[in-house]
Amino acid sequence: VRPYDVVIRYGGEEFIIISPGTDREGVMTLAQRLLKAISLSNFGDKKHAIKLKLSIGVSSYPKDKVNRGMDLVEISDRAMSMAKEKGGNTVCSSLDLKKKYLPDIKKATEENPEIRMLKVKINNLNKRGHQGIVEAVTAFARTIEAKDHVTGKHIERAVYYATEIAKRLDLSEEEIEHIKQAAILHDLGKVGISDRILRKKGNLTKREFEEIKDHPQIGVDIIRPIHTMHPLIPLLLYHHEQWDGKGYPAGLKGEEIPMGARIIAIADVYEALTSKRSYRKAYSKEEAINIIKNGIGTQFDPTIVGIFLEILKTNHKKR
């Protein structure tokens, strides 16, 4: 970096670079230069040389309208997460973030007491290491169940199916654990959604559905301070994406959608269909299976649907 840039170690694998008197375009140039320098360098020794993968998020004041320095850090962190979700070795700026997903710190921490309470819990648990993380996942799950009793029961079954699919795909133990935790937390963001909408008996209005669509981002915002939970972020954020690109929030398509998110999507939909809701009766298992089959290649990954149907068949034979 340049002599007047300030470099701060922010986390175990994260650094903040402050470039005074530089606009967004100038910092993007700096970021690209850093990316190229790292990619050309080998680290280690003669026997064990490795390449480092770098993800960079860029924000700029006053172009990014914020009130506090930490708000600027929050935007950069989101942009960096987007870079990671794209596979790394890339730079994303606040311009890459959709406007609706830029941080609204005041709304998240002041207007919604449940989210504010969860963030306080996070700050306390985050100081206690791995055991604190386990407790955090459990606390989050209880929060969701308290918000919506149906959702709580639904989560237990969705976790089972998501974990079983992951095992049959021969994923690593670490990946399976991430998918399990993300399946537990996939509806966490619903703590920020009005009870009136969650328990509405009739059809949702367009505006109400748009509010429901915010729940993946709300969930991600809640767990973001816990660095060891960062692998869960793309799974929570994208579990409502669709194979044909018509899902939300980013309209990802096919294998652009993280594997774990594709797995959770099927487990989530099946359990939602077979659960009684305030606005409809539960579908039978046969009806739910037919709906999922009709979504092969459009809503769902065909390979994962095939594995899921085999799991249902095996469970049926056991009974």
Side-chain angles (χ1 to χ4, degrees):
V1 297
R2 298 163 298 189
Y4 49 85
D5 291 325
V6 180
V7 181
I8 303 162
R9 190 181 188 109
Y10 186 61
E13 300 175 342
E14 295 177 339
F15 295 83
I16 292 175
I17 299 173
I18 302 173
S19 297
T22 309
D23 60 12
R24 183 190 285 126
E25 290 71 24
V27 177
M28 287 295 290
T29 300
L30 171 62
Q32 292 292 349
R33 191 170 75 244
L34 287 171
L35 196 66
K36 184 177 180 181
I38 293 292
S39 67
L40 293 175
S41 299
N42 289 320
F43 299 87
D45 53 37
K46 293 181 180 179
K47 290 184 179 180
H48 305 285
I50 63 170
K51 293 280 189 181
L52 293 184
K53 182 178 283 189
L54 191 65
S55 300
I56 303 178
V58 171
S59 60
S60 175
Y61 181 83
K63 287 189 176 179
D64 294 319
K65 298 177 180 179
V66 296
N67 296 319
R68 302 180 305 155
M70 285 308 297
D71 295 353
L72 204 62
V73 173
E74 175 72 11
I75 296 175
S76 299
D77 192 40
R78 290 188 182 210
M80 183 181 67
S81 294
M82 177 177 283
K84 288 181 180 179
E85 288 154 13
K86 289 183 176 181
N89 278 342
T90 190
V91 180
C92 289
S93 77
S94 52
L95 293 177
D96 296 308
L97 299 169
K98 292 185 178 180
K99 186 176 180 182
K100 67 184 293 185
Y101 295 116
L102 288 176
D104 187 343
I105 306 298
K106 182 176 179 181
K107 181 178 179 181
T109 59
E110 294 180 9
E111 294 182 6
N112 191 307
E114 289 177 282
I115 293 178
R116 185 170 67 246
M117 178 191 69
L118 275 179
K119 291 197 171 187
V120 171
K121 284 185 179 180
I122 287 170
N123 288 331
N124 292 333
L125 291 170
N126 200 23
K127 298 174 183 177
R128 294 165 55 186
H130 179 71
Q131 184 60 35
I133 302 308
V134 174
E135 290 181 22
V137 174
T138 304
F140 291 159
R142 288 174 180 166
T143 298
I144 302 167
E145 188 164 2
K147 180 79 172 180
D148 182 350
H149 190 60
V150 173
T151 297
K153 292 179 179 179
H154 155 73
I155 288 171
E156 293 177 14
R157 296 189 292 263
V159 169
Y160 167 76
Y161 286 119
T163 305
E164 287 300 306
I165 293 170
K167 288 178 180 177
R168 295 206 182 194
L169 284 167
D170 290 325
L171 300 182
S172 68
E173 289 186 11
E174 184 180 40
E175 289 174 305
I176 293 171
E177 183 60 26
H178 289 160
I179 288 169
K180 179 181 179 180
Q181 290 187 6
I184 292 172
L185 300 177
H186 75 275
D187 276 335
L188 175 63
K190 287 185 177 179
V191 300
I193 306 300
S194 164
D195 286 348
R196 176 184 57 81
I197 294 176
L198 290 178
R199 297 174 183 177
K200 185 175 179 179
K201 293 185 177 181
N203 294 328
L204 297 178
T205 65
K206 185 177 179 180
R207 185 172 180 177
E208 288 169 338
F209 183 60
E210 287 300 315
E211 185 173 336
I212 284 283
K213 285 165 66 174
D214 286 340
H215 82 269
Q217 184 66 45
I218 295 171
V220 165
D221 288 344
I222 291 171
I223 71 165
R224 192 182 297 278
I226 303 179
H227 290 279
T228 53
M229 280 190 169
H230 278 195
L232 310 187
I233 287 177
L235 311 190
L236 267 62
L237 188 58
Y238 298 131
H239 73 276
H240 280 291
E241 299 289 355
Q242 295 186 7
W243 189 252
D244 60 5
K246 295 181 179 179
Y248 64 86
L252 300 183
K253 186 176 183 180
E255 294 187 0
E256 293 176 349
I257 307 167
M259 173 70 77
R262 284 180 264 155
I263 291 171
I264 293 170
I266 291 175
D268 179 32
V269 169
Y270 178 75
E271 280 308 316
L273 290 171
T274 54
S275 300
K276 182 181 178 181
R277 299 289 164 145
S278 59
Y279 51 88
R280 64 159 172 81
K281 296 180 180 179
Y283 288 97
S284 68
K285 292 184 178 180
E286 292 73 19
E287 290 172 326
I289 288 171
N290 286 334
I291 291 172
I292 287 177
K293 284 181 177 178
N294 289 334
I296 293 175
T298 52
Q299 186 171 357
F300 305 115
D301 179 338
T303 300
I304 295 177
V305 171
I307 292 171
F308 175 66
L309 295 178
E310 283 296 321
I311 291 170
L312 290 181
K313 191 182 297 183
T314 301
N315 288 350
H316 181 72
K317 287 180 181 179
K318 287 180 180 179
R319 292 175 186 175

